[in-house]
């Protein structure tokens, strides 16, 4: 059963504050007061990826709340944070912070750096870009395909935040909306991207993770904190290898059919289909939860195949 973060109970008097439900009794029939069990406090260590002192964040349930906590620690605006990576200060898209954080993970926040404006000639239908977003309104480049149009423009880099396309700001857009906008650009025409690259450090020293003795840490290392858009964060067991591989395959299908990669979306799709008996039931479940995406039938069938293999 997942553990849920809860607030401490408040008591009206000193007498009642010592008592809890199910209290024991002594030989004379009187009650033996018990102290409330200590509340577990999840705390994570954090640094700015380009270099900073180490801070500590706790009591957050969503990406937005986490960014606000990090910003408060380093006295910056939350809007300065582009995204976070886990256990590395490098721009490593394989280490992006998503909806889950391991209880022993070290969080590195990548903040806004140099702004740049780039003109690109769309000579082919595909630009060779994979787009993702930070869950708080910033879309950025997750992957550039070798030999693609964008690969030939060396000023465009993995990790760059896309601020505007042809002068139209895309702040607040989800990654699939940005991918659609780029796909709809006319072929054989020039278009302009306004980008912001993450701030980089010169001669950056490697950083180690915090030791297991850090106060406030709990867990065995095989648990994660799952962030939610609504409701409290929960501590969950790490998914099985079979489930992890299946979700990765769904993510690959998202890129193949939809031109996006989103491990959280892939996880949602897997969870929607794991208890369904046939592809029709799965399609209905997708329409109910993710109907705005209008997934093609071929994609839904292939995803169902992946879920079926995982079962």
């Amino acid at each position: 059963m997942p553990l849920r973060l809860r607030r401490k109970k408040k008591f009206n008097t000193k007498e009642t504050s010592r008592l809890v439900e199910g209290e024991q009794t002594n030989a004379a029939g009187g009650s033996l007061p018990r102290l409330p069990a200590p509340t577990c406090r999840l705390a994570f260590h954090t640094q700015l990826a380009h270099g900073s002192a180490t801070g500590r964040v706790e009591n957050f349930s969503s990406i937005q709340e986490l960014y606000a906590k990090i910003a408060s620690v380093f006295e910056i605006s939350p809007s300065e944070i582009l995204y976070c990576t886990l256990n590395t200060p490098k721009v490593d898209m394989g280490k992006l912070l998503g909806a889950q954080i391991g209880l022993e993970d070290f969080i590195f926040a990548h903040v806004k750096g140099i702004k740049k404006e780039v003109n690109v000639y769309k000579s082919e239908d595909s630009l060779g870009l994979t787009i993702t977003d930070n869950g708080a309104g910033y879309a950025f480049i997750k992957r550039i395909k070798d030999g693609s149009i964008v690969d030939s423009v060396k000023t465009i880099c993995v990790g760059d935040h896309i601020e505007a396309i042809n002068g139209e700001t895309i702040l607040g857009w989800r990654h699939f909306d940005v991918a659609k906008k780029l796909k709809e650009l006319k072929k054989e025409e020039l278009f302009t991207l306004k980008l912001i690259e993450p701030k980089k450090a010169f001669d950056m020293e490697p950083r180690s993770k915090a030791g297991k003795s850090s106060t406030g840490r709990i867990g065995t290392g095989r648990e994660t904190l799952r962030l939610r858009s609504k409701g409290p964060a929960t501590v969950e067991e790490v998914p099985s290898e079979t489930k992890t591989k299946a979700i990765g395959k769904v993510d690959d299908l998202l890129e193949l059919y939809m031109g996006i990669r989103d491990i959280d979306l892939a996880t949602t799709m897997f969870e929607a289909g794991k208890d369904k008996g046939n592809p029709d039931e799965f399609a209905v479940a997708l329409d109910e939860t993710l109907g705005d995406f209008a997934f093609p039938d071929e994609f839904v069938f292939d995803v169902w195949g992946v879920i079926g293999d995982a079962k």
Side-chain angles (χ1 to χ4, degrees):
M1 292 292 290
L3 300 175
R4 295 187 178 272
L5 303 179
R6 300 180 183 274
R7 296 180 179 178
K8 295 180 179 179
K9 292 183 179 180
K10 294 183 179 180
F11 301 92
N12 294 327
T13 67
K14 291 183 179 180
E15 179 65 24
T16 56
S17 67
R18 297 196 305 268
L19 303 179
V20 293
E21 293 180 359
E23 57 188 13
Q24 296 178 344
T25 58
N26 57 24
S31 61
L32 291 176
R34 293 168 51 194
L35 293 176
T39 301
C40 294
R41 299 181 66 184
L42 295 174
F44 298 85
H45 288 82
T46 182
Q47 289 181 355
L48 299 180
H50 64 277
S52 74
T54 299
R56 173 174 161 147
V57 291
E58 58 186 336
N59 297 329
F60 57 88
S61 294
S62 67
I63 293 292
Q64 290 87 347
E65 290 181 8
L66 171 59
Y67 286 4
K69 295 285 186 178
I70 294 174
S72 177
V73 167
F74 297 109
E75 298 182 342
I76 61 176
S77 169
S79 63
E80 287 295 305
I81 300 175
L82 295 177
Y83 45 82
C84 294
T85 50
L86 298 176
N87 306 317
T88 177
K90 297 180 180 179
V91 180
D92 184 345
M93 295 295 105
K95 300 292 185 178
L96 279 176
L97 184 152
Q100 291 184 315
I101 309 173
L103 298 188
E104 295 296 327
D105 282 343
F106 199 117
I107 303 171
F108 291 90
H110 298 255
V111 301
K112 292 179 179 178
I114 298 173
K115 290 190 175 186
K116 49 193 177 183
E117 187 169 308
V118 185
N119 293 321
V120 182
Y121 182 72
K122 189 176 183 181
S123 58
E124 302 175 11
D125 290 328
S126 175
L127 294 172
L129 282 179
T130 299
I131 309 297
T132 189
D133 65 67
N134 68 354
Y138 288 171
F140 55 93
I141 298 170
K142 186 174 184 180
R143 185 179 301 173
I144 298 175
K145 184 178 180 181
D146 291 340
S148 63
I149 296 173
V150 171
D151 187 42
S152 65
V153 185
K154 299 307 178 183
T155 51
I156 301 177
C157 304
V158 169
D160 285 355
H161 161 51
I162 304 175
E163 188 177 31
I165 301 173
N166 282 338
E168 181 182 1
T169 180
I170 60 168
L171 297 179
W173 290 26
R174 293 303 311 275
H175 59 282
F176 43 82
D177 293 320
V178 178
K180 181 181 178 182
K181 176 72 174 179
L182 292 171
K183 187 175 182 180
E184 291 174 347
L185 294 173
K186 293 182 179 180
K187 189 177 175 182
E188 309 297 342
E189 288 189 5
L190 201 68
F191 67 94
T192 302
L193 293 176
K194 285 187 177 181
L195 307 169
I196 303 178
E197 66 180 43
K199 191 172 184 179
K200 298 179 176 66
F202 303 99
D203 302 324
M204 186 159 54
E205 294 294 330
R207 300 165 174 84
S208 61
K209 288 165 49 175
K212 292 184 179 180
S213 61
S214 301
T215 58
R217 295 292 183 103
I218 64 170
T220 63
R222 291 194 55 80
E223 295 172 308
T224 62
L225 179 69
R226 183 167 183 82
L227 306 180
R228 304 182 185 279
S229 58
K230 297 180 180 180
T234 55
V235 176
E236 301 176 350
E237 290 295 322
V238 172
S240 67
E241 184 177 356
T242 299
K243 179 178 177 180
T244 300
K245 287 182 177 179
I247 292 172
K249 290 180 180 179
V250 175
D251 198 25
D252 291 339
L253 290 173
L254 277 170
E255 182 177 22
L256 177 64
Y257 281 92
M258 311 298 292
I260 60 175
R261 293 190 75 87
D262 187 332
I263 199 67
D264 295 330
L265 178 59
T267 301
T268 299
M269 298 184 72
F270 181 88
E271 294 294 334
K274 67 180 183 180
D275 59 348
K276 300 299 181 288
N278 57 62
D280 290 335
E281 292 180 1
F282 176 51
V284 171
L286 284 185
D287 285 340
E288 292 175 350
T289 57
L290 301 167
D292 292 341
F293 284 90
F295 296 121
D297 292 341
E298 296 84 355
F299 169 74
V300 174
F301 186 80
D302 284 349
V303 172
W304 173 252
V306 170
I307 296 173
D309 291 342
K311 291 181 179 181

